Amino acid sequence: MNSKSFLVPDPIYDYILKTTLREIPVQRELRERTATMPQARMQTGPDQLQFMQILVRAIQARRCIEVGVYTGASALAVALAIPDDGTIVACDVSEEYTAIAREFWQRAGVEHKIDLHLAPGDETLKGLLLQQGGYDFAYIDADKTNYDAYYELVLRLLRPGGLIAIDNVLWGGDVADPAETDADTVALRKLNEKIGRDERVDASLLTIGDGLSIVRKR
Ligand code: CA
């Protein structure tokens, strides 16, 4: 149901959620509604969202970017963790899924913090580059073959010390299996290797969810 880590046995994951999860009711409703939808696997797990809220709070992020909104749970979590005058530029191409996102952002009272752009992510990010950089936090969770393009654009938009969280970097374990050569796996594998030796950043690949890379701009 949830996009739990393929590395964590069900009883352990259930224990973590039961013992540590802090969701407001709107978050839980959105999670349960999304779980009934096609492509429910795309939903970021609630334990991971809670971890991302800690990152956002720890660096006192105010200006954020999200590439890949789906039904809005990650933007909702980040919006709840930033101050009332904080903003998220949210990029997606699906009117259908983001309609659900908007509904729940409104119900949570955070819609004024989220600036949704229905356009290809790289176009929106290039537009931001023409305006003003200095973003604090970004979450990349979109089409995997464009991850490297999103990474490069977001890195330019971030302030030094800003963080990028990149989702699905283990891709169910396929990145570690040389026999897997589909386009998504190859793109993720290349980006992981690049970030692993990227002197512009500090980085750590976590085994939460489907693999989450935390990248800090130097
Ligand atoms: Ca994801």
Side-chain angles (χ1 to χ4, degrees):
M1 180 184 92
N2 295 317
S3 49
K4 66 173 278 289
S5 170
F6 63 96
L7 297 166
V8 177
D10 287 343
I12 307 294
Y13 192 65
D14 292 344
Y15 172 80
I16 292 169
L17 296 193
K18 194 176 72 186
T19 311
T20 71
L21 195 60
R22 302 183 185 204
E23 275 181 330
I24 64 169
V26 181
Q27 286 181 290
R28 195 187 62 245
E29 281 172 48
L30 174 56
R31 176 160 63 90
E32 288 171 353
R33 170 138 162 214
T34 305
T36 67
M37 296 179 52
Q39 297 185 296
R41 265 193 70 251
M42 280 170 49
Q43 171 156 246
T44 301
D47 54 327
Q48 179 176 321
L49 295 178
Q50 189 166 311
F51 172 68
M52 287 162 50
Q53 288 183 310
I54 291 185
L55 292 181
V56 164
R57 290 185 171 117
I59 64 166
Q60 297 179 298
R62 285 185 60 254
R63 300 176 66 231
C64 305
I65 296 170
E66 173 165 287
V67 188
V69 171
Y70 188 41
T71 59
S74 45
L76 173 56
V78 171
L80 290 167
I82 59 178
D84 201 52
D85 64 346
T87 55
I88 304 171
V89 175
C91 313
D92 207 290
V93 290
S94 168
E95 289 210 33
E96 183 194 351
Y97 290 133
T98 57
I100 297 167
R102 280 183 208 264
E103 177 194 330
F104 281 84
W105 296 341
Q106 262 175 9
R107 285 174 54 189
V110 298
E111 78 277 14
H112 61 287
K113 302 184 191 178
I114 304 170
D115 182 12
L116 177 64
H117 290 249
L118 279 177
D122 57 337
E123 283 178 20
T124 298
L125 297 175
K126 282 173 191 163
L128 294 182
L129 275 175
L130 299 175
Q131 299 165 26
Q132 187 192 2
Y135 286 85
D136 303 301
F137 178 83
Y139 183 44
I140 299 177
D141 186 15
D143 47 316
K144 309 313 170 196
T145 51
N146 278 319
Y147 258 32
D148 185 55
Y150 300 144
Y151 172 68
E152 287 297 334
L153 289 163
V154 163
L155 195 56
R156 290 169 65 189
L157 285 162
L158 230 58
R159 65 167 167 87
L163 296 179
I164 315 173
I166 310 175
D167 196 35
N168 302 106
V169 293
L170 289 178
W171 208 228
D174 286 357
V175 290
D177 180 355
E180 297 289 346
T181 56
D182 63 280
D184 288 340
T185 304
V186 169
L188 288 164
R189 191 182 285 139
K190 275 189 181 166
L191 181 60
N192 288 340
E193 288 167 6
K194 171 175 161 174
I195 292 174
R197 54 175 191 274
D198 191 338
E199 294 291 335
R200 298 171 296 176
V201 301
D202 306 307
S204 179
L205 196 163
L206 307 182
T207 51
I208 194 169
D210 188 29
L212 180 72
S213 280
I214 306 298
V215 178
R216 176 185 173 275
K217 182 174 178 175
R218 286 181 175 165

